[in-house]
Amino acid sequence: MQSYTIGQAARLLGVSPDTARRWADAGRVVTHRDGAGRRLISGRDLAAFSVEVGQGAHSEDAEPYTSARNAFPGIVTAVTLGDVAAQVEIQAGPHRLVSLLTREAVEELGLEVGMQATARVKSTSVHVDRI
């Protein structure tokens, strides 16, 4: 399972690294240390926390989240597979995006909860790129 540094987590949550660090210090999200002593957050823990943050009130010191060219980098929070179709949810800062795509596409991209992905929005379609 992929893990994220505090800085990477902050970018995916749409907040400053200082805010992410304060949340970790307060125990709002579980961290562990790697061999170099850096604090990391597991992908599954970050996915769950990003849903919590997206549903709650936004922090006063959170930086506004903006998209460039309708691209929303975030973290996969849910993957629901059907026989032919699939549903992928991405939390990009305060934004929750849901994409309906083929099961084959999800399997080819190897999408799973906790990994980084970018939702690209054009009109009413949401396309997912694996990072």
Side-chain angles (χ1 to χ4, degrees):
M1 173 53 58
Q2 184 170 354
S3 290
Y4 299 90
T5 65
I6 294 289
Q8 290 170 324
R11 184 179 60 79
L12 293 169
L13 293 167
V15 299
S16 71
D18 285 337
T19 297
R21 212 171 282 112
R22 281 193 297 275
W23 287 343
D25 290 344
R28 288 190 62 193
V29 63
V30 177
T31 63
H32 62 278
R33 297 211 180 254
D34 67 5
R38 294 178 302 177
R39 284 197 298 182
L40 301 175
I41 303 169
S42 79
R44 287 198 183 275
D45 288 342
L46 183 58
F49 183 67
S50 69
V51 170
E52 176 187 322
V53 169
Q55 292 173 348
H58 302 296
S59 171
E60 299 271 334
D61 58 356
E63 297 175 14
Y65 187 83
T66 61
S67 68
R69 297 184 186 154
N70 299 321
F72 294 84
I75 187 166
V76 176
T77 58
V79 176
T80 306
L81 297 174
D83 291 338
V84 176
Q87 178 178 312
V88 176
E89 294 181 31
I90 296 175
Q91 192 73 38
H95 309 290
R96 176 180 167 262
L97 298 117
V98 179
S99 179
L100 300 175
L101 57 164
T102 65
R103 178 184 182 122
E104 180 181 10
V106 170
E107 290 171 347
E108 284 179 7
L109 291 170
L111 295 175
E112 61 182 38
V113 172
M115 70 185 320
Q116 292 183 66
T118 299
R120 297 195 187 276
V121 180
K122 180 174 180 184
S123 184
T124 59
S125 298
V126 177
H127 303 267
V128 177
D129 297 338
R130 180 176 174 182
I131 297 177

